[in-house]
């Protein structure tokens, strides 16, 4: 992946078809057979899942107002954790440069419009984001984290069913998101002293019940 010593990182050009292109085509064919209401749910889940994750983040903050500074620090850090995971995913995409399956396979009419050339497939952005959020929320509230993981699993599945990702794109996205959310979610608890100080100042009403 590296050129000359000290040179820039060279991009790859991965082809995901030999990995699970056949499975992708079977899942895409199955998606075409779903009843229209289910097809609609699959296509809107990319937005709905993100909105539900945002709602879980808000609920985590709300509940943490009664908790100690460590939990509040972790709750406040969840959006930052998601942002950092997304940035990592964007970097990986630019290096791996795997074309979308709907661009290189004859999958027929996909449920979602196929992104243009240069919008890379590996890993799945949406999957990284929701898994990172769920893993970070797990360290705030186990029930919220479990709900987040269910949202994340549904997100990964629907990104394949709408035709814009291979299954391995989703699996790598889940791994990247979970790892980032777990590690950064734990580390964010170290900001507890900052939260404790903020709770005695002008932000008190936002950080305490």
């Amino acid at each position: 992946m590296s050129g000359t010593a000290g040179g820039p990182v060279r991009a790859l050009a991965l082809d995901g078809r030999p990995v699970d292109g056949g499975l992708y085509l079977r899942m895409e064919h199955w998606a075409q057979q779903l009843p229209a209401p289910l097809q609609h749910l699959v296509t809107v889940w990319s937005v709905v899942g993100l909105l539900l994750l945002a709602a879980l983040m808000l609920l985590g903050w709300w509940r943490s107002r009664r908790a100690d500074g460590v939990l509040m620090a972790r709750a406040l850090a969840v959006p930052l954790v998601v942002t950092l995971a997304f940035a990592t995913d964007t970097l990986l995409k630019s290096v791996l440069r795997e074309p979308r399956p709907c661009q290189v396979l004859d999958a027929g009419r996909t449920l979602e419009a196929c992104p243009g050339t240069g919008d890379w497939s590996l890993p799945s952005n949406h999957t990284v984001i929701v898994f990172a959020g769920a893993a970070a929320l797990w360290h705030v509230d186990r029930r919220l984290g479990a709900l987040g993981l269910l949202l994340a699993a549904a997100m990964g599945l629907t990104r394949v069913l709408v035709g814009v990702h291979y299954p391995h794109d989703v699996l790598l996205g889940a791994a990247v998101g979970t790892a980032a959310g777990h590690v950064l979610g734990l580390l964010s608890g170290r900001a507890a002293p900052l939260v404790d100080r903020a709770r005695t100042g002008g932000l008190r009403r936002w950080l305490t019940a």
Side-chain angles (χ1 to χ4, degrees):
M1 275 169 54
S2 298
T4 58
V9 175
R10 294 171 57 187
L12 303 175
L14 299 185
D15 183 356
R17 288 174 291 184
V19 180
D20 49 18
L23 177 59
Y24 163 81
L25 287 172
R26 290 193 294 272
M27 293 180 69
E28 182 57 27
H29 175 73
W30 180 73
Q32 298 294 336
Q33 312 307 313
L34 292 173
L38 281 180
Q39 286 187 347
H40 179 69
L41 178 61
V42 166
T43 56
V44 302
W45 188 255
S46 296
V47 175
V48 172
L50 294 179
L51 292 176
L52 290 176
L53 176 64
L56 291 181
M57 291 182 190
L58 286 173
L59 187 55
W61 157 73
W62 184 260
R63 289 184 173 182
S64 296
R65 295 178 310 132
R66 298 181 180 276
D68 60 22
V70 171
L71 286 184
M72 177 54 82
R74 290 174 177 170
L76 293 175
V78 175
L80 177 59
V81 169
V82 169
T83 301
L84 291 174
F86 174 74
T88 301
D89 169 67
T90 301
L91 177 61
L92 279 174
K93 277 180 178 287
S94 67
V95 172
L96 300 176
R97 297 171 67 89
E98 178 192 74
R100 301 270 182 172
C102 52
Q103 296 168 352
V104 296
L105 287 172
D106 183 14
R109 183 181 63 85
T110 54
L111 298 184
E112 185 174 300
C114 190
T117 302
D119 190 336
W120 310 113
S121 190
L122 179 69
S124 163
N125 277 336
H126 287 77
T127 307
V128 167
I129 288 171
V130 186
F131 269 96
L137 280 170
W138 181 265
H139 297 296
V140 177
D141 185 301
R142 293 295 172 88
R143 287 173 294 181
L144 295 181
L147 286 174
L149 288 173
L150 291 176
L151 296 181
M155 181 66 77
L157 176 63
T158 58
R159 297 310 287 165
V160 178
L161 293 179
V162 297
V164 298
H165 282 291
Y166 293 104
H168 68 263
D169 298 338
V170 167
L171 291 177
L172 181 59
V176 171
T178 301
H182 173 66
V183 174
L184 296 176
L186 277 177
L187 291 177
S188 62
R190 296 185 178 182
L194 296 177
V195 171
D196 290 335
R197 285 198 293 271
R199 279 176 159 173
T200 63
L203 297 177
R204 177 181 175 83
R205 66 172 182 165
W206 300 102
L207 301 177
T208 58

